[in-house]
Amino acid sequence: MTLFLSPSLALLGAPVDIGRDQAQQEAARELLKPGYQQEGFFDRIYRIVSQFLGDLVSIGGGGAGSVVSLVVIVVILAILVALLFWAMRRMSRGRRTAAAVFGGQERTAEQHRAEAERLASEGDWTGAVQERLRAIARGLEERAIVSPLPGRTALELAESAGRSLPAHASDLRTAARVFDDVTYGEVAGTPEAYAVLKDLDEKLAAARVVLEVSA
């Protein structure tokens, strides 16, 4: 088997027939040199993977060993592809969570509530959760608790409203996360999630009355 020798060993006239452990140590010392330290991240990953696959093939030798090595290589490549696909979906999902609460259709808070109830009666809990959060957002705008802001996200709404209604700040953030999960996180809406948003909507309506009486 051909063993890796560093240039420094070759210049010193080191014997070619050295042990496997010693060869690995010399290779590690070689990789610590400045030239290797400047190696790019993707180049390093490519080199490590290539070296690993090459070692598998050499260990397999021939016959049944080669078949086993090939199977292992295919499995590893499948895992790498799956991990890459998962990472790309995570990145894409992270970008989508910055989308706005409202769609293109302009509705009042009551219209959003009516639509939410209709969707809930049909068992469309994802749509019901979305419409209830939009009802909350529109209601806060109509009551001048938050200023209308095109393109506002659910979390931005929660932060803005939470400053004016600190007693409900935590519930507002929870509602925003539920909205983002069902809208962009591919999480199915549930009756429990809808009940949380509906309860918050009713609490916020009551909070408005309390604030007006206090004033």
Side-chain angles (χ1 to χ4, degrees):
M1 179 177 66
T2 301
L3 298 178
F4 172 83
L5 289 179
S6 67
S8 58
L9 286 177
L11 291 175
L12 293 175
V16 175
D17 187 15
I18 63 177
R20 186 182 186 87
D21 292 339
Q22 185 178 352
Q24 291 177 344
Q25 293 174 2
E26 292 300 329
R29 294 192 189 99
E30 185 72 19
L31 293 176
L32 290 175
K33 293 183 177 181
Y36 287 97
Q37 296 301 311
Q38 298 176 359
E39 184 179 16
F41 174 76
F42 289 105
D43 291 336
R44 187 182 312 159
I45 294 298
Y46 175 78
R47 176 177 53 77
I48 292 173
V49 172
S50 299
Q51 181 177 350
F52 176 70
L53 296 179
D55 290 342
L56 282 178
V57 173
S58 62
I59 291 173
S66 298
V67 174
V68 173
S69 298
L70 179 61
V71 171
V72 173
I73 292 172
V74 171
V75 171
I76 293 174
L77 291 177
I79 294 174
L80 290 175
V81 170
L83 289 175
L84 179 61
F85 181 72
W86 174 80
M88 291 177 64
R89 291 189 64 183
R90 291 272 298 182
M91 293 173 61
S92 177
R93 182 184 304 171
R95 289 192 294 267
R96 289 199 302 270
T97 56
V101 170
F102 297 109
Q105 190 172 6
E106 192 77 20
R107 288 177 174 173
T108 65
E110 285 301 321
Q111 289 173 330
H112 282 297
R113 290 189 186 100
E115 180 65 11
E117 288 294 301
R118 184 187 69 80
L119 293 171
S121 67
E122 295 177 354
D124 184 357
W125 298 110
T126 295
V129 166
Q130 293 170 332
E131 285 300 312
R132 201 74 195 199
L133 192 282
R134 288 165 183 153
I136 291 173
R138 188 67 74 200
L140 292 171
E141 292 178 355
E142 291 174 353
R143 294 188 298 248
I145 295 176
V146 298
S147 302
L149 180 64
R152 173 185 279 137
T153 66
L155 288 176
E156 289 171 346
L157 171 74
E159 293 299 324
S160 179
R163 288 191 290 269
S164 300
L165 301 171
H168 300 283
S170 178
D171 292 336
L172 283 163
R173 286 192 294 270
T174 298
R177 286 193 293 268
V178 171
F179 176 85
D180 284 344
D181 285 344
V182 303
T183 305
Y184 314 112
E186 300 178 2
V187 177
T190 63
E192 293 76 16
Y194 179 69
V196 169
L197 268 69
K198 182 177 180 179
D199 181 64
L200 176 60
D201 191 14
E202 294 171 352
K203 286 180 179 178
L204 292 176
R208 175 195 175 209
V209 174
V210 171
L211 289 174
E212 288 181 347
V213 172
S214 298

